Amino acid sequence: MSYDIVLVGAGCMGTALLPGLFKGFDKSRILVIDVLPSRRKEVAAMGVDVASSLGDVDDAAIIVLALPSNRFSEFAGCTSVLNGHPGLVVSVMAGVRIATIEKTLQACNVVRAIPNTSAETFKSMTVFCAGASVSSYSLRLAERMFSLVGEMVRVEEEKLMDPATAICGGGPAYLSYFAECMRSFAVEHGFSDAQSDFIVSQIFQGVGSLLSVGDRQPMQMCEDVMTPGGTTAQAIEVLKHRNFKEVVGDALLKAATHSQLLGSMAEEAENERSHR
Ligand SMILES: NC(=O)c1ccc[n+]([C@@H]2O[C@H](COP(=O)([O-])OP(=O)(O)OC[C@H]3O[C@@H](n4cnc5c(N)ncnc54)[C@H](OP(=O)(O)O)[C@@H]3O)[C@@H](O)[C@H]2O)c1
């Protein structure tokens, strides 16, 4: 059986890509590889073929690498099937650099991307960078794939992929964390769980829709709510006093730095593997 897409790694990110992929590709043309039997079972229930390891792969197949960054070298070491793969290889692995993937797989059509889990509802923001040798056909294919899961921004400089990983990959987690803080406050103050969930989710959707109009910067939107002498100004004062912006900046920097570290570790692992 030949496939148009082979997705390696059916974790949170890999499975979030699937609903979008189903819009653009026939389910029978998608193969999902995962080492965990329970994940394979979940994904098989969605109607796609699953396997624990790679068999033959068509030259034209799109390979999507969605396994943990620190497992990439081990994965590459266990299979030679992808060596010299001429088709598109899309990596969504945090940190792992294009040169490392090109060298490991001897592949020339490598695109490094950072989508996020909002892909599940076709609302991903995917930042991507194409390797220097990517053909225009493969680039179009990658863009088509990203458009199936949401919006995209292409960067020319790969170094931007580390801050992109911090902002974009982790973005849903930070906002969900903030949502949880608001939800807990609502529950503590007497709202039911269901009411709290509904209130917070509507606030996030509302702000998302205002931001997407794009006629105001986020800070302007914040100030619009801050009636002088009003309640919101009191809350924002607390956040400013506690240096909330600095805390968020520190958190993002830590994530971006870790992305760089993962990239270096993957490079070292590949160097060790190729010298064995
Ligand atoms: N989560 C996000 O929001 C997000 C966003 C952007 C990018 N990413 C990137 O996407 C990748 C996956 O992240 P995730 O959060 O989806 O991780 P995850 O939930 O841990 O899923 C990864 C899956 O890949 C499996 N796996 C490990 N080694 C494998 C191999 N050799 N062959 C096939 N499958 C293998 C894992 O099995 P085991 O559990 O047995 O290891 C697991 O089921 C990471 O590189 C991450 O940096 C994630």
Side-chain angles (χ1 to χ4, degrees):
M1 179 73 193
S2 65
Y3 297 95
D4 294 334
I5 295 215
V6 177
L7 171 68
V8 184
C12 301
M13 194 60 245
T15 50
L17 295 172
L18 285 173
L21 296 180
F22 294 162
K23 285 194 298 177
F25 299 86
D26 197 296
K27 280 186 184 180
S28 66
R29 309 281 306 163
I30 299 175
L31 173 67
V32 177
I33 309 288
D34 200 287
V35 288
L36 259 187
S38 57
R39 300 262 189 187
R40 292 202 296 276
K41 201 171 162 198
E42 276 169 36
V43 174
M46 296 178 185
V48 290
D49 285 349
V50 294
S52 57
S53 60
L54 273 174
D56 287 345
V57 169
D58 276 8
D59 281 357
I62 302 172
I63 310 298
V64 183
L65 299 170
L67 66 163
S69 313
N70 60 3
R71 306 281 293 274
F72 175 56
S73 178
E74 169 202 326
F75 161 76
C78 291
T79 177
S80 56
V81 175
L82 291 181
N83 274 358
H85 183 66
L88 171 64
V89 177
V90 174
S91 163
V92 303
M93 298 180 293
V96 186
R97 294 174 199 130
I98 294 170
T100 304
I101 301 165
E102 286 174 342
K103 186 174 164 213
T104 309
L105 303 180
Q106 298 295 306
C108 54
N109 285 303
V110 177
V111 172
R112 176 179 167 189
I114 281 293
N116 61 40
T117 48
S118 301
E120 197 179 328
T121 51
F122 320 122
K123 295 280 185 194
S124 176
M125 168 44 71
T126 303
V127 178
F128 73 99
C129 183
S133 54
V134 170
S135 69
S136 51
Y137 173 76
S138 288
L139 187 59
R140 279 201 307 278
L141 210 53
E143 287 172 341
R144 178 170 164 246
M145 201 185 107
F146 302 145
S147 73
L148 292 170
V149 296
E151 300 291 341
M152 72 193 94
V153 166
R154 180 182 177 189
V155 296
E156 298 295 336
E157 288 182 276
E158 192 179 358
K159 67 177 185 192
L160 287 176
M161 291 305 293
D162 295 313
T165 300
I167 300 164
C168 237
Y174 319 136
L175 296 187
S176 301
Y177 190 84
F178 202 86
E180 172 54 30
C181 298
M182 290 175 65
R183 179 197 181 280
S184 295
F185 179 85
V187 171
E188 267 169 39
H189 287 80
F191 288 94
S192 69
D193 282 340
Q195 285 172 328
S196 305
D197 289 341
F198 185 47
I199 290 168
V200 172
S201 102
Q202 183 58 24
I203 291 164
F204 271 73
Q205 283 187 47
V207 173
S209 71
L210 285 176
L211 278 172
S212 67
V213 171
D215 61 348
R216 281 171 293 171
Q217 291 291 310
M219 200 55 211
Q220 181 61 52
M221 282 172 48
C222 177
E223 280 163 8
D224 289 348
V225 188
M226 286 166 55
T227 314
T231 57
T232 310
Q234 296 291 315
I236 296 293
E237 196 46 47
V238 173
L239 294 180
K240 282 187 175 167
H241 183 70
R242 303 258 179 106
N243 290 326
F244 187 70
K245 193 171 178 182
E246 203 178 299
V247 170
V248 173
D250 285 353
L252 290 170
L253 184 61
K254 198 149 187 190
T257 307
H258 194 66
S259 170
Q260 277 176 338
L261 178 69
L262 288 173
S264 301
M265 284 163 57
E267 197 176 316
E268 269 169 41
E270 171 49 24
N271 286 340
E272 271 175 33
R273 195 183 67 85
S274 59
H275 286 109
R276 245 179 252 144

